Amino acid sequence: MSETVLKLEGVTKSFGPVDVIKGVDLNVRRGQVQALLGENGAGKSTLIKMIAGVHEPDSGRILVDGKEVRIPDTKASEALGIATIHQELNLVPTMSVAENIVLGRTPQRYGLVNRKHLKAQAQAALHLIGLDVDLDTPVGELGVAKQQLVEIAKALSMNARILILDEPTAALTGKEVDALFTVLEGLKAKGVAMVFISHHLDELARIAETICVLRDGAFIAEVPSDTDEDELVRLMVGRSIENQYPRDTPPERGDVLLEVAGLTTQGSFQDISFEVHSGEVVGLAGLVGAGRTEIIRAIAGADTYDSGSIRVNGQELRGGDIGAAIRAGVGHIPEDRKAQALVLDASVADNLGFATLYPTARAGIADRSGQHRRAGEVAEKLRIRMSGLDQAIRNLSGGNQQKAVFGRWVLANSKVLLLDEPTRGVDVGAKVEIYNIINEVTAAGGAVLMASSDLPEVLGMSDRILVMSGGQLAGQLPKDSTQDEVMTLAVANVTSATSAAATNSASHDPKD
Ligand SMILES: Nc1ncnc2c1ncn2[C@@H]1O[C@H](COP(=O)(O)OP(=O)(O)OP(=O)(O)O)[C@@H](O)[C@H]1O
Ligand SMILES: [Mg+2]
């Protein structure tokens, strides 16, 4: 067994009256990856924040190389050779990629910023993970996946001997995950000790040596990473999950609720036409950059579009008017919940109520108590883990924040739900809960359009699948298609634009 570089012993942490970490042991070994597994709110991020110097434990010990240490702040953590990639990105949107990567440890010579050195360092880090972006681009202009890669590059450029990765793959697609894992394998070979958090069980089997399972803040077990998935789920949620994708019998298909015709925005997507009926879940698959998010944003009124039309329930929606979209019954779950969906310092109740506070107002006066009660019902239905409705949403675990975004549209009774990566960062148990909510929405006559990079999810939950490639609809596939069939269409317009146009016209009519 490899030597233990970092060790936690009987660590505890409470926030006010809530015990979040209850005596957890953790061993992180040289040249190995220790995975942390647990439901949303189990305490994974809180545990690693005690290693990163964000929180100090209330009791218990932290040992580095066998010596007890205190890690009162992030500087102390870095000084011990620990680099941390947090779950919520810590980039400054207005600063460039290069500046973000070397933030806080700008190379200096005689007290001056050495820009050339700074750039070289940043470039080397980007090269390592295969990210091709201009170093001068403000980070805020990049999509979530690229921002995540910048965050990873930042940690890698610190040459740490202990690397902590809190859900680094949540926003990445298969190819990017592969590239990241190649880098991590290289770091293992150099003896770097790592902690890795992910809700994707297959990733743990690929990259980790051992898996430490937490449940409700308590240490449950450390098991080898080849432990079978059913057993991992059982350890994690305390019961087995029968059916990961509970959509075997979709409801009857009703009238068209969403109709998109010839929708075009130069540089994003061209001539997109499709319909989603009442009772249907339509998947939207494709590679990063295929235009899925852009289409969803256009329908949601978050962006304008150049030409074409969008109708919801027969009513035409102009671009760029979120209020009109909401009034027409559209609910939007964006891919970046922190930046686009939540007001982090507001309460859970307020975040749940943003779409409904005014529509439910009587004589122009917001119905706050009714709102609070309804928010409470939805929070319970979605099993949002929190200390109470008045807790700031910032302090909810990532997965529970996502459930709250979902809850907003359940509360608003939205008829057309637009989901962009709806279960990113959501644990296996909570995923099933979200799928059940999707089923309830369609059973009640709603329509769902779901963009997701999680192919098993798209295949398991969609009644049919639209595949996008290079800004165009490359085709439509029925429910029981394979990952290979989706990928073949997804790369159609990427390999060759001209042959893709041919594929496009020859493919099935997505308006079936
Ligand atoms: N600063 C804080 N104040 C109050 N409660 C907090 C704070 N930070 C975390 N919590 C609570 O601690 C619990 C554990 O949260 P944590 O973020 O560690 O979960 P997690 O296992 O990382 O979940 P996820 O998979 O959703 O990211 C949650 O119930 C959360 O609400
Ligand atoms: Mg977390």
Side-chain angles (χ1 to χ4, degrees), residues 199-375:
H199 289 291
H200 296 284
L201 299 179
D202 55 322
E203 292 178 0
L204 307 191
R206 274 173 68 192
I207 197 69
E209 274 68 31
T210 47
I211 301 175
C212 170
V213 185
L214 298 181
R215 194 195 306 155
D216 284 329
F219 172 85
I220 299 296
E222 187 191 277
V223 294
S225 65
D226 58 5
T227 304
D228 78 47
E229 292 198 359
D230 290 343
E231 173 65 6
L232 289 175
V233 169
R234 206 187 52 73
L235 288 171
M236 184 177 152
V237 300
R239 61 187 155 87
S240 6
I241 288 179
E242 302 283 302
N243 186 358
Q244 176 70 63
Y245 301 107
R247 199 166 171 87
D248 301 326
T249 43
E252 278 293 290
R253 210 166 88 150
D255 297 338
V256 173
L257 282 188
L258 172 66
E259 184 187 356
V260 174
L263 200 69
T264 301
T265 288
Q266 285 314 321
S268 292
F269 48 83
Q270 296 91 45
D271 196 20
I272 305 294
S273 301
F274 65 88
E275 292 172 345
V276 186
H277 295 248
S278 155
E280 255 193 327
V281 176
V282 172
L284 195 56
L287 305 176
V288 164
R292 293 169 300 169
T293 293
E294 288 76 8
I295 287 177
I296 285 196
R297 287 179 56 82
I299 303 171
D303 292 335
T304 55
Y305 53 88
D306 294 342
S307 58
S309 69
I310 299 167
R311 281 171 191 281
V312 171
N313 227 341
Q315 181 189 340
E316 175 133 17
L317 283 186
R318 309 226 164 274
D321 188 344
I322 295 178
I326 293 175
R327 284 190 297 279
V330 173
H332 178 206
I333 298 186
E335 61 172 344
D336 182 355
R337 63 173 168 267
K338 192 178 166 192
Q340 296 164 358
L342 297 171
V343 177
L344 289 169
D345 290 317
S347 69
V348 176
D350 284 346
N351 272 284
L352 280 168
F354 281 135
T356 26
L357 195 53
Y358 293 99
T360 59
R362 286 198 208 109
I365 298 166
D367 171 21
R368 286 208 168 263
S369 67
Q371 183 73 17
H372 210 267
R373 180 179 46 75
R374 285 188 294 273

Side-chain angles (χ1 to χ4, degrees), residues 15 20 38-47 55 87 166-167 199 385-386 391 395-400 425:
F15 293 106
V20 172
E39 287 183 279
N40 298 129
K44 303 177 296 294
S45 296
T46 306
L47 190 70
H55 299 310
Q87 182 171 11
D166 193 353
E167 299 197 30
H199 289 291
R385 282 193 200 202
M386 55 185 179
Q391 187 178 5
N395 292 333
L396 255 55
S397 77
N400 282 296

